[in-house]
Amino acid sequence: MKELIEKDGSGETAQEKKNKESIQKAEEINQLPQISDNVKSHRTIVGSHIFRAVNDLKSELNHDITNYYQVGKKDYKKSLLMSIIQMDYSNSYYSELRTKKQLGYVVFTEKTIIDGIMYYIFLIQGRTKTPDEMNTDIDIATEMVLNDKISKISEDDLNLFKSNLKEILNKEYVNLKEKSDEIWKEIESKSYDFNRKKELMKAMLNITLSQVKDLFSEIFFNKPNKLSIQLFSSKVKIPENKQEPYYLNKKITSFIGGSLSIFEKSPIL
């Protein structure tokens, strides 16, 4: 108690000083990138960010890159649009990045949902190129997919994709275990969306060709919210690039959920 009322040389009590520090801290937080009200309960990506690190395993010669492209809060219609987009480009990324450019032995892309937020994920593991070079190749491949695939989708293509999705959604459960597994997935993910298939069928009615093309452009070109996690082999030095907003040259293998101060002020997953 004595410490709280005793004044220092500035004429402030310890309590007054503590209050001022709290206010200052709050002002600093308010200056950080703000997240919209409807997703403040989630850890989201705002803008494009790159986190880099060197693998601390001396024997590991491979590099790794995982790119997260945030689509938005869980939404039935957007989820279907994402599936249609993925059906259209299906093997294009694998063919370009794995077969043609031979970037790595592991190359895949998928749609996923994390804490109620939808993402496209791109992952490459290999030693042919470094993660920053892989990142550039992913961007080049994405532009190729836009020009050669997405922009050329026809109404007939769209109807075929929608027909395939309806067939998947209308598929009957083979047995009780299959139905039970699907219910438990909803419980484990805490989404509790037990009528998901019916809601998706309803949302299917309002999907248009322009919506498919617009969503792809928004995610990857117009308003990209991207997190690129790049793990370099221990044999390679991380290249310097002052244009990147985050630069991490520390030997760690855990990126998300770590205790490093750099993550505390970063709007990541």
Side-chain angles (χ1 to χ4, degrees), residues 7 14 48 87 100 107 134 151 164-165 212 214 228 258:
K7 295 189 176 184
S48 296
M87 283 179 173
K100 185 177 177 181
V107 174
M134 292 177 181
S151 65
N164 291 338
L165 285 172
V212 175
D214 289 346
S228 181

Coordinates of all heavy atoms in Angstrom, one line a residue, residues 7 14 48 87 100 107 134 151 164-165 212 214 228 258:
K7 N 5.0 9.1 -3.6 CA 5.3 9.8 -4.8 C 6.8 9.7 -5.2 O 7.6 9.6 -4.3 CB 4.9 11.3 -4.7 CG 3.4 11.5 -4.5 CD 3.0 12.9 -4.6 CE 1.5 13.1 -4.5 NZ 1.1 14.5 -4.7
A14 N 2.7 5.9 -7.3 CA 3.0 4.6 -8.1 C 1.7 4.2 -8.8 O 1.7 3.7 -9.9 CB 3.5 3.5 -7.1
S48 N -0.9 -9.1 -46.2 CA 0.0 -10.2 -46.6 C 1.2 -10.2 -45.6 O 1.8 -9.1 -45.4 CB 0.5 -10.1 -48.0 OG -0.6 -10.2 -48.9
M87 N -12.2 -27.7 -58.0 CA -12.5 -28.7 -59.0 C -11.9 -28.2 -60.4 O -11.4 -29.1 -61.2 CB -14.0 -28.9 -59.2 CG -14.6 -29.7 -58.1 SD -16.4 -29.8 -58.3 CE -16.9 -31.0 -57.1
K100 N 6.3 -30.1 -63.7 CA 7.1 -29.2 -64.6 C 8.3 -28.6 -64.0 O 9.4 -28.7 -64.5 CB 6.1 -28.1 -65.2 CG 6.8 -27.2 -66.3 CD 5.8 -26.2 -66.8 CE 6.4 -25.3 -67.8 NZ 5.5 -24.3 -68.4
V107 N 3.8 -31.6 -53.0 CA 3.2 -30.4 -53.5 C 1.7 -30.6 -53.4 O 1.2 -31.6 -54.1 CB 3.6 -30.1 -55.0 CG1 2.8 -29.0 -55.5 CG2 5.1 -29.8 -55.1
M134 N 10.1 -20.5 -54.1 CA 8.8 -21.3 -54.3 C 7.6 -20.3 -54.2 O 6.6 -20.5 -54.9 CB 8.7 -22.3 -53.1 CG 9.8 -23.4 -53.2 SD 9.6 -24.5 -51.7 CE 10.9 -25.7 -52.0
S151 N -10.7 -18.1 -65.8 CA -11.3 -17.1 -66.7 C -12.0 -17.8 -67.9 O -12.9 -17.2 -68.6 CB -10.3 -16.2 -67.3 OG -9.3 -16.9 -68.1
N164 N -21.8 -32.4 -59.8 CA -20.9 -33.3 -59.1 C -21.0 -33.0 -57.6 O -21.0 -34.0 -56.7 CB -19.4 -33.1 -59.5 CG -19.2 -33.6 -60.9 OD1 -19.9 -34.4 -61.4 ND2 -18.1 -33.0 -61.6
L165 N -21.1 -31.7 -57.2 CA -21.3 -31.4 -55.8 C -22.6 -31.9 -55.2 O -22.6 -32.4 -54.1 CB -21.2 -29.9 -55.6 CG -19.8 -29.2 -55.7 CD1 -19.9 -27.7 -55.7 CD2 -18.9 -29.7 -54.6
V212 N -18.0 -17.2 -59.1 CA -16.8 -18.1 -59.0 C -15.5 -17.3 -59.4 O -14.5 -17.3 -58.7 CB -17.0 -19.3 -60.0 CG1 -15.7 -20.1 -60.0 CG2 -18.2 -20.1 -59.5
D214 N -15.1 -14.0 -59.6 CA -14.9 -12.9 -58.7 C -14.2 -13.3 -57.4 O -13.3 -12.6 -56.9 CB -16.2 -12.1 -58.3 CG -16.7 -11.4 -59.5 OD1 -16.0 -11.2 -60.5 OD2 -17.9 -11.0 -59.5
S228 N 2.5 -16.4 -45.4 CA 3.5 -17.4 -46.0 C 4.5 -17.8 -44.9 O 5.2 -16.9 -44.4 CB 4.2 -16.7 -47.1 OG 5.1 -17.6 -47.7
G258 N 3.6 -19.6 -30.9 CA 4.8 -19.5 -30.2 C 4.8 -18.3 -29.2 O 3.8 -17.5 -29.2

